[in-house]
Amino acid sequence: MQTNLFTNTNTSAANQTSVGTNPLSTGSETSLMFTKLLVAQVKNQDPLSPNDPAAFVSQLTQLSQTEALQKLSTLTSTNATVLQGMQALSLGAQIGSDLTVSAESVSIGETPARGSFTLESPSTATTLVLTGVDGVEHKVSLGMRAAGNVPFVLDPASMGLPYGDYKMRVETSTKESPPMELTGRLNSVRLGAGGAVVLNIAGVGEVSPSAISAFNGKSTVASTN
């Protein structure tokens, strides 16, 4: 009787799979493979010593958990895409505004570049070092500086700096290496590879939204030291 019962169960599962009413049938390859394995277990068990039904229930539970995780992963990916799109739209409204971002390099052009860094201790000799793509260093003396925010302006016309991209670092009398920030106009917002939001900022280049440290509004007047 047990053999006939399992045979009927197998037939029912096959029918339900075909019409898509079985909880195991989700249309996924994982569900179909699991169903085939479960049916094979039922057909090949010893009728005189059948498997514990609890084992089948446990397997069904594991399948349900796997499918739930797959659906959650898909939902999370969809939500991330939606959020990235909303972020792009929100930042798009800021085009033309000045943003302050963390940066390790600066693009020197016709317009002076504005930036700053924060010292934890006073420095008797503070120097901003710009290294070009050719490896040549250009040092800008900032003199004695107190602890706190230190702003600077890089004007290529007055400093004789060739146009181009430069790596930035700060040398202090205390051997401190503070992180750098640059302020520039947000020129554009786009979605990059994988849907990541990419910002193009004047004097900086392309950065991710995570680099933003301040929104400064729209301004036509460049700040000075």
Side-chain angles (χ1 to χ4, degrees):
M1 292 298 292
Q2 291 172 337
T3 303
N4 293 336
L5 176 61
F6 284 125
T7 301
N8 291 336
T9 301
N10 176 23
T11 302
S12 176
N15 291 337
Q16 290 175 347
T17 300
S18 65
V19 299
T21 58
N22 190 336
L24 293 177
S25 178
T26 63
S28 67
E29 294 182 1
T30 302
S31 298
L32 294 176
M33 180 179 66
F34 187 89
T35 302
K36 291 179 181 179
L37 290 174
L38 185 60
V39 170
Q41 283 183 303
V42 173
K43 291 177 64 176
N44 293 291
Q45 68 179 336
D46 184 356
L48 301 179
S49 180
N51 293 335
D52 184 358
F56 295 114
V57 173
S58 176
Q59 293 178 38
L60 289 171
T61 301
Q62 292 175 7
L63 174 61
S64 298
Q65 292 174 341
T66 300
E67 291 177 343
L69 289 174
Q70 290 176 335
K71 291 179 180 178
L72 180 60
S73 176
T74 301
L75 180 61
T76 300
S77 178
T78 301
N79 288 342
T81 301
V82 172
L83 289 175
Q84 287 172 336
M86 293 176 63
Q87 186 180 43
L89 289 174
S90 177
L91 289 170
Q94 297 294 328
I95 290 178
S97 297
D98 288 341
L99 303 184
T100 299
V101 297
S102 301
E104 296 181 349
S105 61
V106 60
S107 181
I108 300 295
E110 295 182 358
T111 304
R114 296 172 289 146
S116 66
F117 54 90
T118 300
L119 294 178
E120 295 183 359
S121 305
S123 172
T124 57
T126 311
T127 303
L128 177 61
V129 182
L130 305 176
T131 305
V133 294
D134 54 2
V136 176
E137 292 187 347
H138 302 266
K139 296 188 176 183
V140 181
S141 177
L142 300 177
M144 182 182 297
R145 294 287 178 166
N149 184 260
V150 179
F152 60 85
V153 175
L154 299 176
D155 185 354
S158 62
M159 296 179 176
L161 287 173
Y163 294 169
D165 296 330
Y166 295 85
K167 291 290 186 181
M168 300 186 298
R169 75 175 191 275
V170 176
E171 294 179 349
T172 67
S173 60
T174 59
K175 306 303 180 182
E176 192 176 335
S177 298
M180 311 286 289
E181 291 185 330
L182 291 176
T183 298
R185 185 180 62 190
L186 177 61
N187 290 328
S188 65
V189 179
R190 69 177 180 85
L191 292 178
V197 179
V198 180
L199 312 179
N200 184 285
I201 299 178
V204 181
E206 293 190 336
V207 299
S208 69
S210 62
I212 298 174
S213 58
F215 290 88
N216 307 309
K218 296 183 179 181
S219 174
T220 57
V221 180
S223 63
T224 57
N225 278 338

